[in-house]
Amino acid sequence: MQALAERLSGVDSYVDGAIRVVAFYDTLMRRRVDLPALARASAGLAECVVGLRLHGTGRAIRVSPAGAEEPGPAGPATTTVPVTLDDEEIGTVWLERATPAHPLDEMLLERLAIAAAAAVERYGPARTTMADPALVELAVSSTGDEAARARALRLLGFAAGRPVQVVAVRTSLPLDRIGGLICPAGPVKAAALADVGVILAAAVDTTRFPEGVRAGLGAAEGTAVSWRQARTALRFTTPRDPVVRHADLGALALLADVPRDTAAGNADVAAVARVAGSPEDLETLDAYCATGSLRRAADLLHLHHSSVARRLEQIARTLGIDLTEPAGLTRARVALTAWRLLDN
């Protein structure tokens, strides 16, 4: 690879050197070299230590002009340039010269940064990258055709034919941080569409969502379908169940299609709305519906079972439902879910 260009010290003029630097990195990019190869080639060209670090992974590469990785802590950087992808800074490249900076140092690093961003996108993006909302919207749109969605996914860095899962998120946290947590190893892109965050990921670890995040997950069955499922699942989230998979809803997902006026006018749903006027009673009803057992609900609420029993008696009178019967418990669960969907 060293034959691609002369070392910078052997270049006679700035213009000639600039042309050689551009040609050097154009050739490297055509050869689709990875990050270590880029660092080795750059160190040989610059005749000094070259460093490359990705913010998302914390990975750092430092290579000497001889092509070997430099051990120990990094020395002082004489020139530094950010690596950007989709308008987000994902890393940094730098030179560690023991001699004064060369006039072409900044141009060399700029070309290295461009080549590094292309390699990151090709071989695996940084743990997460905020993406163009318009491109994400196209990738999940149900109005466009499959070819347009596939092209949008390729532009976002997802390999053709690989499954992509869509997550709908409500949070005050940065979407890129959440994406990096739930998909630490594979490609992941994030963007905000209206008042909902969208995360596209090769795979999702539901145990890694931060506290306070509400998330609905669609299946990896096509991004348009997955996005519709994710938005539906998001409506079913609660403080007790902040992360919901659409696949786990089963027949309950049908409740999301019930017209709002129809749900609000149902007698059981209206009764739950009256119970909700007391946060204490609503929490008790929620715990009982979640567990189906007075004693388990008491454990969940950290109360004596007799106290929970008294509350449930009052709640049952308000609902007009016998909560001790399986049919009554089913009615209460469905009504509570339907009432929540009115707000979600």
Side-chain angles (χ1 to χ4, degrees), residues 4-70:
L4 292 174
E6 298 177 3
R7 294 174 181 268
L8 292 189
S9 61
V11 175
D12 294 328
S13 71
Y14 180 88
V15 173
D16 184 51
I19 293 173
R20 290 179 181 274
V21 169
V22 171
F24 180 70
Y25 284 102
D26 283 350
T27 303
L28 291 178
M29 292 174 70
R30 283 198 301 273
R31 292 187 177 184
R32 296 174 177 267
V33 300
D34 58 14
L35 294 176
L38 276 174
R40 287 194 299 271
S42 300
L45 176 64
E47 299 180 273
C48 70
V49 173
V50 169
L52 189 156
R53 177 181 292 106
L54 297 181
H55 300 328
T57 63
R59 181 187 180 191
I61 304 171
R62 292 177 62 243
V63 182
S64 71
E69 287 208 25
E70 280 286 294

Side-chain angles (χ1 to χ4, degrees), residues 239-250:
R240 196 181 303 284
D241 294 308
V243 179
V244 174
R245 291 182 180 274
H246 185 272
D248 295 335
L249 291 173

Side-chain angles (χ1 to χ4, degrees), residues 191-202:
L193 297 185
D195 60 341
V196 180
V198 185
I199 297 176
L200 304 174

Side-chain angles (χ1 to χ4, degrees), residues 240 284-301 308 312 329 333:
R240 196 181 303 284
T284 301
L285 178 61
D286 176 54
Y288 183 67
C289 287
T291 62
S293 163
L294 189 153
R295 290 189 177 275
R296 288 202 298 272
D299 290 341
L300 203 60
L301 296 168
V308 175
L312 287 174
L329 180 58
R333 283 171 170 163

